[in-house]
């Protein structure tokens, strides 16, 4: 992997990242000229400091990076190459969706965040398919659903390639008119100078290999501002301002962890996770470790068995095995499958 910084006219800065022959370009733009501030509710928004709770409990993880960054006062924006500008396909009701997840039961509990250690994998997909491993935080009735989603995705229609990329998503009205992937629409405020949003992970896990590559996205509601912060690799990289939402301002009523796929027009669904059915051997499975939520008091806790349900809608294509709590891995589960003709 190599990362180069190129300087062009008018002091405009372009970061170019090369990963296994793939080139990603990031524009470095003034922090107050990023897309977020084009949102009508954020015209007068001021950048706010977001503090991650329990800083002493943070795990740096095993994924090492050496990315370079934009100059001070600027933030990186991924330049889309051939991907689609707007894709609203992240709802259970949309035909062609499949899921293998665990989620909290709707018992009136309120959550202020979620995080997990997620294994990274490379997959081969057709142009109109996607496959994601992520965390959802949601609140509100179906037609007004507020949702924040964070994880990795292989999404040729979005990115124009099949690389495994750090991917985020949000909606404030049940996927109707608001929200988008990454920063394709105004909303998410970037505060980091390192190019994370949409970046291709340079290393992924290999089936059967002793070394697994993982990352730990951490989503949390700031107790002072009410904004929803996003942290990876020991850095708060940005946040969703509270002004975007109508229900998540009160916290999340549901947290979900796991995999999500979308089929191609010929009815074939792509692989999920690492493309294999789950087994107890983490070297041969895609997995979530240290699955945690923040309760209404902002305390970070292992997710409780009695407050979760398992969901897999196509057993012939995707499965999930829940392992519960172990001292070494916290609460964990394995999931995934080869896809195929999985129904709609």
């Amino acid at each position: 992997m190599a990362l180069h910084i190129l300087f062009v006219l008018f002091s405009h800065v372009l970061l170019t990242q090369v990963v296994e022959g793939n080139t990603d370009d990031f524009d470095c733009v003034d922090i107050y000229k990023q897309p977020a501030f084009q949102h009508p509710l954020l015209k007068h928004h001021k950048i706010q400091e977001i503090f991650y709770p329990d800083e002493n409990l943070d795990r740096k993880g095993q994924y090492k990076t050496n990315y370079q960054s934009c100059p001070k006062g600027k933030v990186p924006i991924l330049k889309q190459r051939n991907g689609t500008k707007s894709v609203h396909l992240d709802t259970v009701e949309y035909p062609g969706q499949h899921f293998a997840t665990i989620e909290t039961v709707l018992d009136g509990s309120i959550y202020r965040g979620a995080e997990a250690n997620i294994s990274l994998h490379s997959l081969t997909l057709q142009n109109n398919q996607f496959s994601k491993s992520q965390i959802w935080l949601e609140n509100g009735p179906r037609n007004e659903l507020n949702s924040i989603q964070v994880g990795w995705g292989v999404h040729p229609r979005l990115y124009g390639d099949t690389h495994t990329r750090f991917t985020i998503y949000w909606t404030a009205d049940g996927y109707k008119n608001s929200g988008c992937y990454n920063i394709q629409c105004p909303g998410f405020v970037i505060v980091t100078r390192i190019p994370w949003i949409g970046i291709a992970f340079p290393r992924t896990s290999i089936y059967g290999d002793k070394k697994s590559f993982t990352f730990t996205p951490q989503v949390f509601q700031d107790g002072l501002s009410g904004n929803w912060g996003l942290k990876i690799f020991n850095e708060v990289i940005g946040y969703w301002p509270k002004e975007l939402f109508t229900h998540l301002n009160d916290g999340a009523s549901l947290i979900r962890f796991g995999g999500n796929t979308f089929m191609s027009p010929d009815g074939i669904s792509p692989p999920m996770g690492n493309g294999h059915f789950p087994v107890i051997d983490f070297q041969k499975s895609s997995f979530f470790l240290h699955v945690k939520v923040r309760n209404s008091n902002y305390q970070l806790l292992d997710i409780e068995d009695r407050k979760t349900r398992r969901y897999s809608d196509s057993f012939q294509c995707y499965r999930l095995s829940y392992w519960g709590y172990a001292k070494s891995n916290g609460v964990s589960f394995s999931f995934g499958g080869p896809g195929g003709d999985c129904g709609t």
Side-chain angles (χ1 to χ4, degrees):
M1 183 192 74
L3 184 65
H4 309 284
I5 296 182
L6 306 177
F7 293 93
V8 295
L9 295 176
F10 309 116
S11 300
H12 178 79
V13 182
L14 176 72
L15 299 183
T16 300
Q17 182 195 359
V18 182
V19 178
E20 296 180 352
N22 176 71
T23 301
D24 286 335
D25 291 332
F26 289 80
D27 283 321
C28 292
V29 303
D30 185 280
I31 192 168
Y32 277 105
K33 293 182 180 179
Q34 62 179 295
F37 293 96
Q38 298 172 18
H39 195 289
L41 296 177
L42 301 178
K43 290 291 186 182
H44 305 292
H45 183 82
K46 300 299 182 184
I47 299 291
Q48 298 175 14
E49 276 194 285
I50 303 294
F51 296 99
Y52 178 76
D54 307 324
E55 196 69 40
N56 59 319
L57 298 180
D58 184 39
R59 298 182 305 275
K60 292 186 177 181
Q62 57 177 286
Y63 205 99
K64 306 300 182 185
T65 60
N66 61 351
Y67 302 143
Q68 300 203 31
S69 61
C70 291
K72 187 175 181 179
K74 296 183 181 292
V75 295
I77 308 294
L78 176 65
K79 297 181 70 174
Q80 288 292 128
R81 298 196 312 277
N82 302 310
T84 301
K85 271 291 181 185
S86 180
V87 186
H88 291 266
L89 302 176
D90 280 23
T91 171
V92 175
E93 291 76 28
Y94 197 96
Q97 297 275 350
H98 290 290
F99 297 82
T101 61
I102 68 168
E103 62 183 42
T104 57
V105 296
L106 293 170
D107 62 357
S109 296
I110 290 296
Y111 301 95
R112 304 295 183 178
E115 61 183 69
N117 190 224
I118 308 175
S119 60
L120 291 161
H121 304 277
S122 296
L123 299 171
T124 301
L125 272 68
Q126 299 177 31
N127 282 341
N128 288 303
Q129 299 172 329
F130 69 60
S131 185
K132 298 183 291 182
S133 297
Q134 63 178 28
I135 303 170
W136 292 254
L137 302 95
E138 299 185 336
N139 200 350
R142 181 179 300 177
N143 65 338
E144 301 174 8
L145 183 69
N146 292 187
S147 181
I148 288 173
Q149 301 164 24
V150 175
W152 64 259
V154 178
H155 202 322
R157 186 177 170 190
L158 175 64
Y159 293 112
D161 60 38
T162 59
H163 289 280
T164 302
R165 295 178 175 274
F166 179 58
T167 302
I168 64 176
Y169 187 93
W170 72 276
T171 182
D173 62 357
Y175 306 93
K176 295 194 293 289
N177 299 307
S178 72
C180 59
Y181 281 101
N182 299 338
I183 52 167
Q184 290 191 325
C185 64
F188 185 80
V189 177
I190 299 175
V191 297
T192 181
R193 292 189 286 154
I194 300 175
W196 290 127
I197 306 296
I199 201 164
F201 290 101
R203 296 180 295 278
T204 57
S205 304
I206 298 173
Y207 182 84
D209 196 90
K210 292 182 179 181
K211 177 69 170 178
S212 294
F213 291 101
T214 67
F215 82 120
T216 304
Q218 301 161 303
V219 184
F220 59 97
Q221 188 172 29
D222 183 66
L224 295 176
S225 67
N227 300 324
W228 285 89
L230 173 57
K231 183 176 183 179
I232 59 170
F233 304 122
N234 210 34
E235 180 186 16
V236 175
I237 66 171
Y239 61 93
W240 290 270
K242 63 182 179 182
E243 293 90 337
L244 298 175
F245 301 112
T246 52
H247 298 285
L248 274 174
N249 292 336
D250 299 322
S253 60
L254 182 142
I255 309 288
R256 183 184 299 115
F257 304 84
N260 170 212
T261 64
F262 180 70
M263 70 182 187
S264 56
D266 61 4
I268 300 302
S269 293
M272 177 191 291
N274 68 346
H276 298 271
F277 290 126
V279 294
I280 188 63
D281 185 351
F282 288 145
Q283 296 173 14
K284 297 180 180 179
S285 284
S286 51
F287 56 80
F288 279 54
L289 308 180
H290 301 287
V291 179
K292 295 178 179 289
V293 296
R294 288 192 179 276
N295 65 15
S296 58
N297 295 320
Y298 301 88
Q299 296 171 304
L300 187 63
L301 304 170
D302 293 307
I303 197 167
E304 297 181 61
D305 289 356
R306 66 183 179 88
K307 288 196 170 188
T308 62
R309 75 180 189 104
R310 287 65 134 171
Y311 177 77
S312 183
D313 60 11
S314 182
F315 187 78
Q316 73 270 28
C317 291
Y318 312 114
R319 300 174 191 175
L320 184 145
S321 295
Y322 181 77
W323 308 119
Y325 178 84
K327 188 175 182 180
S328 57
N329 297 319
V331 175
S332 66
F333 65 90
S334 300
F335 71 104
D341 186 359
C342 308
T344 58

mmCIF file of all heavy atoms in Angstrom, residues 100-139:
data_model
loop_
_atom_site.group_PDB
_atom_site.id
_atom_site.type_symbol
_atom_site.label_atom_id
_atom_site.label_comp_id
_atom_site.label_asym_id
_atom_site.label_seq_id
_atom_site.Cartn_x
_atom_site.Cartn_y
_atom_site.Cartn_z
ATOM 1 N N ALA A 100 -28.673 -11.545 8.188
ATOM 2 C CA ALA A 100 -28.317 -12.494 9.243
ATOM 3 C C ALA A 100 -27.772 -11.645 10.379
ATOM 4 O O ALA A 100 -26.644 -11.151 10.313
ATOM 5 C CB ALA A 100 -27.287 -13.510 8.756
ATOM 6 N N THR A 101 -28.581 -11.433 11.413
ATOM 7 C CA THR A 101 -28.261 -10.427 12.428
ATOM 8 C C THR A 101 -28.678 -10.875 13.823
ATOM 9 O O THR A 101 -29.469 -11.805 13.986
ATOM 10 C CB THR A 101 -28.990 -9.100 12.129
ATOM 11 O OG1 THR A 101 -30.412 -9.323 12.164
ATOM 12 C CG2 THR A 101 -28.609 -8.548 10.773
ATOM 13 N N ILE A 102 -28.140 -10.180 14.823
ATOM 14 C CA ILE A 102 -28.736 -10.183 16.152
ATOM 15 C C ILE A 102 -29.179 -8.750 16.420
ATOM 16 O O ILE A 102 -28.572 -7.806 15.909
ATOM 17 C CB ILE A 102 -27.772 -10.683 17.248
ATOM 18 C CG1 ILE A 102 -26.626 -9.692 17.473
ATOM 19 C CG2 ILE A 102 -27.228 -12.063 16.918
ATOM 20 C CD1 ILE A 102 -25.814 -9.982 18.726
ATOM 21 N N GLU A 103 -30.263 -8.590 17.172
ATOM 22 C CA GLU A 103 -30.744 -7.246 17.472
ATOM 23 C C GLU A 103 -31.397 -7.222 18.837
ATOM 24 O O GLU A 103 -31.831 -8.256 19.358
ATOM 25 C CB GLU A 103 -31.724 -6.762 16.405
ATOM 26 C CG GLU A 103 -32.976 -7.585 16.294
ATOM 27 C CD GLU A 103 -33.888 -7.094 15.173
ATOM 28 O OE1 GLU A 103 -33.379 -6.773 14.085
ATOM 29 O OE2 GLU A 103 -35.112 -7.038 15.402
ATOM 30 N N THR A 104 -31.462 -6.036 19.410
ATOM 31 C CA THR A 104 -32.095 -5.877 20.708
ATOM 32 C C THR A 104 -33.605 -5.984 20.552
ATOM 33 O O THR A 104 -34.171 -5.631 19.512
ATOM 34 C CB THR A 104 -31.747 -4.509 21.324
ATOM 35 O OG1 THR A 104 -32.135 -3.471 20.416
ATOM 36 C CG2 THR A 104 -30.245 -4.406 21.597
ATOM 37 N N VAL A 105 -34.268 -6.499 21.570
ATOM 38 C CA VAL A 105 -35.727 -6.576 21.545
ATOM 39 C C VAL A 105 -36.300 -5.202 21.865
ATOM 40 O O VAL A 105 -35.687 -4.394 22.575
ATOM 41 C CB VAL A 105 -36.244 -7.624 22.553
ATOM 42 C CG1 VAL A 105 -35.778 -9.015 22.168
ATOM 43 C CG2 VAL A 105 -35.807 -7.282 23.977
ATOM 44 N N LEU A 106 -37.484 -4.925 21.322
ATOM 45 C CA LEU A 106 -38.135 -3.645 21.566
ATOM 46 C C LEU A 106 -38.915 -3.727 22.874
ATOM 47 O O LEU A 106 -40.098 -4.083 22.894
ATOM 48 C CB LEU A 106 -39.061 -3.299 20.394
ATOM 49 C CG LEU A 106 -38.367 -3.005 19.062
ATOM 50 C CD1 LEU A 106 -39.379 -2.911 17.926
ATOM 51 C CD2 LEU A 106 -37.558 -1.716 19.162
ATOM 52 N N ASP A 107 -38.224 -3.419 23.980
ATOM 53 C CA ASP A 107 -38.841 -3.516 25.298
ATOM 54 C C ASP A 107 -38.909 -2.174 26.012
ATOM 55 O O ASP A 107 -39.128 -2.108 27.220
ATOM 56 C CB ASP A 107 -38.076 -4.519 26.157
ATOM 57 C CG ASP A 107 -36.625 -4.108 26.410
ATOM 58 O OD1 ASP A 107 -36.206 -3.067 25.855
ATOM 59 O OD2 ASP A 107 -35.920 -4.826 27.145
ATOM 60 N N GLY A 108 -38.714 -1.095 25.255
ATOM 61 C CA GLY A 108 -38.725 0.231 25.850
ATOM 62 C C GLY A 108 -37.361 0.748 26.277
ATOM 63 O O GLY A 108 -37.230 1.902 26.693
ATOM 64 N N SER A 109 -36.328 -0.094 26.160
ATOM 65 C CA SER A 109 -34.979 0.333 26.523
ATOM 66 C C SER A 109 -34.472 1.377 25.536
ATOM 67 O O SER A 109 -34.797 1.343 24.346
ATOM 68 C CB SER A 109 -34.017 -0.866 26.533
ATOM 69 O OG SER A 109 -34.380 -1.802 27.518
ATOM 70 N N ILE A 110 -33.656 2.290 26.041
ATOM 71 C CA ILE A 110 -33.031 3.316 25.220
ATOM 72 C C ILE A 110 -31.524 3.121 25.261
ATOM 73 O O ILE A 110 -30.941 2.874 26.327
ATOM 74 C CB ILE A 110 -33.401 4.728 25.706
ATOM 75 C CG1 ILE A 110 -34.873 5.011 25.404
ATOM 76 C CG2 ILE A 110 -32.516 5.790 25.066
ATOM 77 C CD1 ILE A 110 -35.217 5.044 23.922
ATOM 78 N N TYR A 111 -30.894 3.228 24.092
ATOM 79 C CA TYR A 111 -29.460 3.012 23.967
ATOM 80 C C TYR A 111 -28.786 4.286 23.447
ATOM 81 O O TYR A 111 -29.338 4.998 22.606
ATOM 82 C CB TYR A 111 -29.174 1.843 23.020
ATOM 83 C CG TYR A 111 -29.805 0.550 23.485
ATOM 84 C CD1 TYR A 111 -31.043 0.156 22.993
ATOM 85 C CD2 TYR A 111 -29.174 -0.255 24.424
ATOM 86 C CE1 TYR A 111 -31.633 -1.026 23.426
ATOM 87 C CE2 TYR A 111 -29.760 -1.435 24.862
ATOM 88 C CZ TYR A 111 -30.986 -1.811 24.360
ATOM 89 O OH TYR A 111 -31.572 -2.972 24.801
ATOM 90 N N ARG A 112 -27.582 4.529 23.962
ATOM 91 C CA ARG A 112 -26.819 5.720 23.596
ATOM 92 C C ARG A 112 -25.597 5.392 22.744
ATOM 93 O O ARG A 112 -24.755 6.263 22.524
ATOM 94 C CB ARG A 112 -26.371 6.451 24.859
ATOM 95 C CG ARG A 112 -27.505 6.835 25.795
ATOM 96 C CD ARG A 112 -28.454 7.858 25.188
ATOM 97 N NE ARG A 112 -29.491 8.264 26.139
ATOM 98 C CZ ARG A 112 -30.432 9.170 25.881
ATOM 99 N NH1 ARG A 112 -30.469 9.753 24.694
ATOM 100 N NH2 ARG A 112 -31.344 9.478 26.790
ATOM 101 N N GLY A 113 -25.496 4.156 22.262
ATOM 102 C CA GLY A 113 -24.368 3.814 21.413
ATOM 103 C C GLY A 113 -24.210 2.323 21.249
ATOM 104 O O GLY A 113 -24.898 1.517 21.891
ATOM 105 N N ALA A 114 -23.280 1.947 20.374
ATOM 106 C CA ALA A 114 -22.990 0.531 20.113
ATOM 107 C C ALA A 114 -21.615 0.427 19.480
ATOM 108 O O ALA A 114 -21.128 1.360 18.838
ATOM 109 C CB ALA A 114 -24.049 -0.082 19.200
ATOM 110 N N GLU A 115 -21.004 -0.731 19.664
ATOM 111 C CA GLU A 115 -19.715 -0.993 19.037
ATOM 112 C C GLU A 115 -19.470 -2.492 18.987
ATOM 113 O O GLU A 115 -20.103 -3.272 19.711
ATOM 114 C CB GLU A 115 -18.578 -0.303 19.779
ATOM 115 C CG GLU A 115 -18.385 -0.738 21.212
ATOM 116 C CD GLU A 115 -17.279 0.053 21.898
ATOM 117 O OE1 GLU A 115 -17.461 1.265 22.136
ATOM 118 O OE2 GLU A 115 -16.227 -0.564 22.183
ATOM 119 N N ALA A 116 -18.566 -2.910 18.125
ATOM 120 C CA ALA A 116 -18.176 -4.311 18.013
ATOM 121 C C ALA A 116 -16.906 -4.404 17.189
ATOM 122 O O ALA A 116 -16.589 -3.508 16.397
ATOM 123 C CB ALA A 116 -19.282 -5.149 17.363
ATOM 124 N N ASN A 117 -16.188 -5.476 17.395
ATOM 125 C CA ASN A 117 -14.978 -5.788 16.631
ATOM 126 C C ASN A 117 -15.399 -6.669 15.457
ATOM 127 O O ASN A 117 -15.831 -7.810 15.653
ATOM 128 C CB ASN A 117 -13.984 -6.505 17.541
ATOM 129 C CG ASN A 117 -12.613 -6.659 16.944
ATOM 130 O OD1 ASN A 117 -12.019 -7.718 17.032
ATOM 131 N ND2 ASN A 117 -12.085 -5.620 16.337
ATOM 132 N N ILE A 118 -15.302 -6.158 14.229
ATOM 133 C CA ILE A 118 -15.861 -6.806 13.041
ATOM 134 C C ILE A 118 -14.743 -7.328 12.143
ATOM 135 O O ILE A 118 -13.820 -6.584 11.803
ATOM 136 C CB ILE A 118 -16.737 -5.823 12.247
ATOM 137 C CG1 ILE A 118 -17.782 -5.173 13.157
ATOM 138 C CG2 ILE A 118 -17.397 -6.523 11.070
ATOM 139 C CD1 ILE A 118 -18.602 -4.094 12.463
ATOM 140 N N SER A 119 -14.841 -8.586 11.744
ATOM 141 C CA SER A 119 -13.835 -9.147 10.837
ATOM 142 C C SER A 119 -14.022 -8.598 9.427
ATOM 143 O O SER A 119 -15.134 -8.319 8.982
ATOM 144 C CB SER A 119 -13.920 -10.679 10.824
ATOM 145 O OG SER A 119 -15.197 -11.134 10.394
ATOM 146 N N LEU A 120 -12.903 -8.434 8.729
ATOM 147 C CA LEU A 120 -12.882 -7.873 7.383
ATOM 148 C C LEU A 120 -12.631 -8.960 6.354
ATOM 149 O O LEU A 120 -11.762 -9.822 6.547
ATOM 150 C CB LEU A 120 -11.786 -6.814 7.270
ATOM 151 C CG LEU A 120 -12.007 -5.520 8.054
ATOM 152 C CD1 LEU A 120 -10.684 -4.790 8.243
ATOM 153 C CD2 LEU A 120 -13.018 -4.632 7.348
ATOM 154 N N HIS A 121 -13.362 -8.914 5.236
ATOM 155 C CA HIS A 121 -13.244 -9.952 4.213
ATOM 156 C C HIS A 121 -13.389 -9.359 2.816
ATOM 157 O O HIS A 121 -14.065 -8.340 2.632
ATOM 158 C CB HIS A 121 -14.311 -11.029 4.425
ATOM 159 C CG HIS A 121 -14.278 -11.643 5.780
ATOM 160 N ND1 HIS A 121 -13.421 -12.661 6.120
ATOM 161 C CD2 HIS A 121 -14.976 -11.334 6.908
ATOM 162 C CE1 HIS A 121 -13.605 -12.975 7.392
ATOM 163 N NE2 HIS A 121 -14.531 -12.185 7.894
ATOM 164 N N SER A 122 -12.767 -10.009 1.851
ATOM 165 C CA SER A 122 -12.903 -9.638 0.446
ATOM 166 C C SER A 122 -13.923 -10.559 -0.212
ATOM 167 O O SER A 122 -13.937 -11.769 0.044
ATOM 168 C CB SER A 122 -11.562 -9.753 -0.279
ATOM 169 O OG SER A 122 -10.632 -8.832 0.240
ATOM 170 N N LEU A 123 -14.772 -9.992 -1.068
ATOM 171 C CA LEU A 123 -15.817 -10.751 -1.741
ATOM 172 C C LEU A 123 -15.873 -10.369 -3.214
ATOM 173 O O LEU A 123 -15.502 -9.262 -3.591
ATOM 174 C CB LEU A 123 -17.188 -10.468 -1.101
ATOM 175 C CG LEU A 123 -17.360 -10.830 0.383
ATOM 176 C CD1 LEU A 123 -18.683 -10.280 0.894
ATOM 177 C CD2 LEU A 123 -17.299 -12.337 0.580
ATOM 178 N N THR A 124 -16.374 -11.292 -4.029
ATOM 179 C CA THR A 124 -16.598 -11.023 -5.447
ATOM 180 C C THR A 124 -18.094 -10.874 -5.685
ATOM 181 O O THR A 124 -18.862 -11.784 -5.384
ATOM 182 C CB THR A 124 -16.034 -12.157 -6.318
ATOM 183 O OG1 THR A 124 -14.633 -12.280 -6.079
ATOM 184 C CG2 THR A 124 -16.278 -11.866 -7.789
ATOM 185 N N LEU A 125 -18.516 -9.726 -6.213
ATOM 186 C CA LEU A 125 -19.920 -9.430 -6.419
ATOM 187 C C LEU A 125 -20.188 -8.982 -7.844
ATOM 188 O O LEU A 125 -19.287 -8.526 -8.545
ATOM 189 C CB LEU A 125 -20.390 -8.317 -5.466
ATOM 190 C CG LEU A 125 -20.896 -8.731 -4.085
ATOM 191 C CD1 LEU A 125 -19.765 -9.276 -3.219
ATOM 192 C CD2 LEU A 125 -21.570 -7.548 -3.391
ATOM 193 N N GLN A 126 -21.445 -9.111 -8.261
ATOM 194 C CA GLN A 126 -21.895 -8.547 -9.520
ATOM 195 C C GLN A 126 -22.236 -7.072 -9.312
ATOM 196 O O GLN A 126 -22.421 -6.614 -8.189
ATOM 197 C CB GLN A 126 -23.118 -9.300 -10.034
ATOM 198 C CG GLN A 126 -22.890 -10.776 -10.304
ATOM 199 C CD GLN A 126 -24.157 -11.489 -10.741
ATOM 200 O OE1 GLN A 126 -25.032 -10.896 -11.376
ATOM 201 N NE2 GLN A 126 -24.274 -12.762 -10.384
ATOM 202 N N ASN A 127 -22.379 -6.344 -10.409
ATOM 203 C CA ASN A 127 -22.515 -4.899 -10.334
ATOM 204 C C ASN A 127 -23.712 -4.418 -9.530
ATOM 205 O O ASN A 127 -23.657 -3.389 -8.869
ATOM 206 C CB ASN A 127 -22.591 -4.294 -11.741
ATOM 207 C CG ASN A 127 -21.220 -4.221 -12.397
ATOM 208 O OD1 ASN A 127 -20.205 -4.276 -11.708
ATOM 209 N ND2 ASN A 127 -21.189 -4.122 -13.711
ATOM 210 N N ASN A 128 -24.835 -5.128 -9.586
ATOM 211 C CA ASN A 128 -26.033 -4.642 -8.914
ATOM 212 C C ASN A 128 -26.241 -5.252 -7.535
ATOM 213 O O ASN A 128 -27.286 -5.044 -6.915
ATOM 214 C CB ASN A 128 -27.259 -4.911 -9.787
ATOM 215 C CG ASN A 128 -27.307 -3.988 -10.993
ATOM 216 O OD1 ASN A 128 -27.308 -2.782 -10.846
ATOM 217 N ND2 ASN A 128 -27.309 -4.564 -12.180
ATOM 218 N N GLN A 129 -25.284 -6.016 -7.037
ATOM 219 C CA GLN A 129 -25.380 -6.604 -5.702
ATOM 220 C C GLN A 129 -24.647 -5.727 -4.686
ATOM 221 O O GLN A 129 -23.844 -4.875 -5.050
ATOM 222 C CB GLN A 129 -24.742 -7.997 -5.694
ATOM 223 C CG GLN A 129 -25.395 -8.999 -6.628
ATOM 224 C CD GLN A 129 -24.601 -10.297 -6.704
ATOM 225 O OE1 GLN A 129 -23.374 -10.301 -6.563
ATOM 226 N NE2 GLN A 129 -25.289 -11.403 -6.908
ATOM 227 N N PHE A 130 -24.947 -5.950 -3.406
ATOM 228 C CA PHE A 130 -24.072 -5.447 -2.356
ATOM 229 C C PHE A 130 -24.054 -6.446 -1.216
ATOM 230 O O PHE A 130 -24.937 -7.290 -1.060
ATOM 231 C CB PHE A 130 -24.437 -4.035 -1.879
ATOM 232 C CG PHE A 130 -25.726 -3.896 -1.100
ATOM 233 C CD1 PHE A 130 -25.944 -4.557 0.098
ATOM 234 C CD2 PHE A 130 -26.713 -3.025 -1.538
ATOM 235 C CE1 PHE A 130 -27.114 -4.391 0.827
ATOM 236 C CE2 PHE A 130 -27.894 -2.858 -0.818
ATOM 237 C CZ PHE A 130 -28.089 -3.549 0.366
ATOM 238 N N SER A 131 -22.999 -6.358 -0.407
ATOM 239 C CA SER A 131 -22.865 -7.193 0.786
ATOM 240 C C SER A 131 -22.192 -6.356 1.854
ATOM 241 O O SER A 131 -21.136 -5.773 1.621
ATOM 242 C CB SER A 131 -22.033 -8.448 0.492
ATOM 243 O OG SER A 131 -22.013 -9.311 1.620
ATOM 244 N N LYS A 132 -22.825 -6.310 3.048
ATOM 245 C CA LYS A 132 -22.316 -5.448 4.105
ATOM 246 C C LYS A 132 -22.290 -6.184 5.448
ATOM 247 O O LYS A 132 -23.097 -7.077 5.697
ATOM 248 C CB LYS A 132 -23.194 -4.190 4.232
ATOM 249 C CG LYS A 132 -23.209 -3.333 2.977
ATOM 250 C CD LYS A 132 -24.018 -2.076 3.166
ATOM 251 C CE LYS A 132 -25.495 -2.399 3.298
ATOM 252 N NZ LYS A 132 -26.312 -1.175 3.447
ATOM 253 N N SER A 133 -21.357 -5.783 6.285
ATOM 254 C CA SER A 133 -21.287 -6.224 7.679
ATOM 255 C C SER A 133 -21.254 -4.953 8.512
ATOM 256 O O SER A 133 -20.312 -4.162 8.390
ATOM 257 C CB SER A 133 -20.034 -7.075 7.927
ATOM 258 O OG SER A 133 -20.071 -8.261 7.155
ATOM 259 N N GLN A 134 -22.257 -4.752 9.381
ATOM 260 C CA GLN A 134 -22.382 -3.430 9.974
ATOM 261 C C GLN A 134 -23.188 -3.441 11.272
ATOM 262 O O GLN A 134 -23.700 -4.468 11.712
ATOM 263 C CB GLN A 134 -23.018 -2.470 8.979
ATOM 264 C CG GLN A 134 -24.427 -2.840 8.580
ATOM 265 C CD GLN A 134 -25.050 -1.827 7.610
ATOM 266 O OE1 GLN A 134 -24.360 -1.159 6.851
ATOM 267 N NE2 GLN A 134 -26.365 -1.702 7.641
ATOM 268 N N ILE A 135 -23.282 -2.236 11.849
ATOM 269 C CA ILE A 135 -24.079 -1.960 13.041
ATOM 270 C C ILE A 135 -25.159 -0.962 12.661
ATOM 271 O O ILE A 135 -24.882 0.021 11.967
ATOM 272 C CB ILE A 135 -23.207 -1.373 14.169
ATOM 273 C CG1 ILE A 135 -22.048 -2.310 14.515
ATOM 274 C CG2 ILE A 135 -24.044 -1.072 15.410
ATOM 275 C CD1 ILE A 135 -21.020 -1.679 15.450
ATOM 276 N N TRP A 136 -26.399 -1.221 13.100
ATOM 277 C CA TRP A 136 -27.511 -0.297 12.908
ATOM 278 C C TRP A 136 -27.917 0.280 14.271
ATOM 279 O O TRP A 136 -27.989 -0.447 15.269
ATOM 280 C CB TRP A 136 -28.750 -0.982 12.361
ATOM 281 C CG TRP A 136 -28.750 -1.531 10.983
ATOM 282 C CD1 TRP A 136 -29.381 -1.011 9.886
ATOM 283 C CD2 TRP A 136 -28.186 -2.794 10.530
ATOM 284 N NE1 TRP A 136 -29.232 -1.848 8.791
ATOM 285 C CE2 TRP A 136 -28.516 -2.934 9.156
ATOM 286 C CE3 TRP A 136 -27.444 -3.796 11.155
ATOM 287 C CZ2 TRP A 136 -28.117 -4.046 8.415
ATOM 288 C CZ3 TRP A 136 -27.045 -4.894 10.416
ATOM 289 C CH2 TRP A 136 -27.372 -5.014 9.059
ATOM 290 N N LEU A 137 -28.243 1.567 14.327
ATOM 291 C CA LEU A 137 -28.853 2.197 15.493
ATOM 292 C C LEU A 137 -30.096 2.918 15.002
ATOM 293 O O LEU A 137 -30.004 3.789 14.116
ATOM 294 C CB LEU A 137 -27.896 3.180 16.176
ATOM 295 C CG LEU A 137 -26.558 2.596 16.648
ATOM 296 C CD1 LEU A 137 -25.481 2.811 15.591
ATOM 297 C CD2 LEU A 137 -26.126 3.223 17.967
ATOM 298 N N GLU A 138 -31.278 2.574 15.562
ATOM 299 C CA GLU A 138 -32.522 3.050 14.979
ATOM 300 C C GLU A 138 -33.527 3.474 16.041
ATOM 301 O O GLU A 138 -33.488 3.021 17.188
ATOM 302 C CB GLU A 138 -33.133 1.961 14.092
ATOM 303 C CG GLU A 138 -32.220 1.570 12.939
ATOM 304 C CD GLU A 138 -32.828 0.579 11.977
ATOM 305 O OE1 GLU A 138 -33.747 -0.174 12.363
ATOM 306 O OE2 GLU A 138 -32.369 0.547 10.815
ATOM 307 N N ASN A 139 -34.468 4.323 15.616
ATOM 308 C CA ASN A 139 -35.597 4.720 16.447
ATOM 309 C C ASN A 139 -36.665 5.312 15.535
ATOM 310 O O ASN A 139 -36.361 5.871 14.475
ATOM 311 C CB ASN A 139 -35.188 5.741 17.517
ATOM 312 C CG ASN A 139 -36.184 5.805 18.669
ATOM 313 O OD1 ASN A 139 -37.271 5.226 18.607
ATOM 314 N ND2 ASN A 139 -35.821 6.504 19.738
#
